[in-house]
Amino acid sequence: MTAIDPEQVARLKALPAVHVLADAVDGVAPRWAAVEAARRLVAERRDAIRSGSAAASTIGVDEVRQLAIALAGPRLRRVVNATGVVLHTNLGRAPLAAAALAAVAETARGYTNLEYDLAAGQRGSRHAHAEELLRALTGAEAACVVNNNAAATVVALSALAGGHAVVVSRGELVEIGGSFRIPDILRASGCALVEVGTTNKTRLADYEAVIDEGTAMLLKVHRSNFAMVGFTDEVSERDLAALARARGLVSMIDLGSGCLLSRERQRALGLPEEPPVTEVVASGADLVCFSGDKLLGGPQAGVLVGSAAAIARVRSHPLMRAMRPDKLTLAALCATLALYRDGRDAEVPAVAMMSANAEALRARADLLAAELAGVAAAAGLEIAVESCRSTVGGGAMPLAELPSWAVTLRATSGADALDARLRAAAVPVIARVEDGRVWLDLRTIADVERDDVVAALR
Ligand SMILES: *Cc1c(COP(=O)(O)O)cnc(C)c1O
């Protein structure tokens, strides 16, 4: 047992009572939050004193108030994405278009025809709403939607190849992140993986050689988050689909990030080229799946398009019930798809951000720098406008570097401390730390968010 230090005991005794501290911030936060804040701060101070630190016994009312307000506030909060990564998975991927937000609000407010056929006056299908738009936009015969693309692959594999073998090229046994690995997904779907080819080269003959009575599917997986260059070869979607058809098998393409813009439109917007979903569907694959919140710029969802027969099998699989999307997802997805259909793709925030040109971004960086100048000077920060490169993110277009402009801040206390202060703001600003500076990339900062950045720095 350690000897009792009378001075330590005195300081412990001098700690304020929890209820007294909570009373002191009465009215600024719900009672439970005030009590919880007071309890945590007292416990923290007690532990500090016991462990021999020179912590004082006093606890400021400001400290309690701040913590109580933070505890009572929402855990899931809006942040400013100043990283320049357009589809940042940690920051919730694609922000929704105004039309999608309006559709969510309208749908959430009251009742909807989610599973009700208004013309027939009887039960309908929740898949019907998005299906019509997806057929028009991709040229596929049929479509359905689940909660994300990982769910889309699992339900499709289970429905079309469960209990059988699925052939995949060794160059496509990828890990997407968040523990999504193709071999694990196949196992979880009750499929046996048959690897063909080598890491860098897979030929049609490799697939042909392994097909037997146990084979159900030829699967192709888009290398979303990395690229292979040099001595490489892979089988096209068209050849894979044709081989599957000739041998009575199903073919499926996991596109990862589905792009609904035509090649012509991609060029007009100055975007790095990505195979449009229409092209992949036209290759003849039975099933094509992709995410709703990657290049498409909609809500988190998994989209499956393909032949009527394949989609029907997916829809009637028992797992579908566990993975079906809710009305809010469907509302946001349908509204986003309608923007593409109506030639209003520039209203999709992810598309607008990816296609913003360098001059426009420079002008916005100059504007932000001017607005920040006063606060920066007062805080002793060195401010500059610099060119930089932003990325698409979300495991899409791994090689694409989009020329952009940033406001950079240099603090004598160091970039990490300044970065932490920006993250602690009422509306947190998530920046990039590089080269001993904090970088605020204008590609992902909306005009209406400039005030948030100024407030955070203040
Ligand atoms: C992103 C991705 C997935 C997973 O999609 P989520 O919508 O995040 O579930 C699956 N496959 C590929 C090839 C991907 O790029």
Side-chain angles (χ1 to χ4, degrees), residues 326-352:
D326 77 310
K327 60 185 178 179
L328 305 186
T329 299
L330 286 172
L333 181 66
C334 289
T336 307
L337 294 173
L339 291 175
Y340 282 96
R341 179 198 59 192
D342 300 343
R344 291 165 60 190
D345 51 38
E347 291 176 42
V348 176
V351 173

Side-chain angles (χ1 to χ4, degrees), residues 381-407:
L381 301 172
E382 193 183 299
I383 187 166
V385 170
E386 302 254 5
S387 72
C388 64
R389 305 219 155 243
S390 23
T391 53
V392 172
M397 303 177 170
L399 296 187
E401 289 198 325
L402 313 168
S404 187
W405 285 84
V407 171

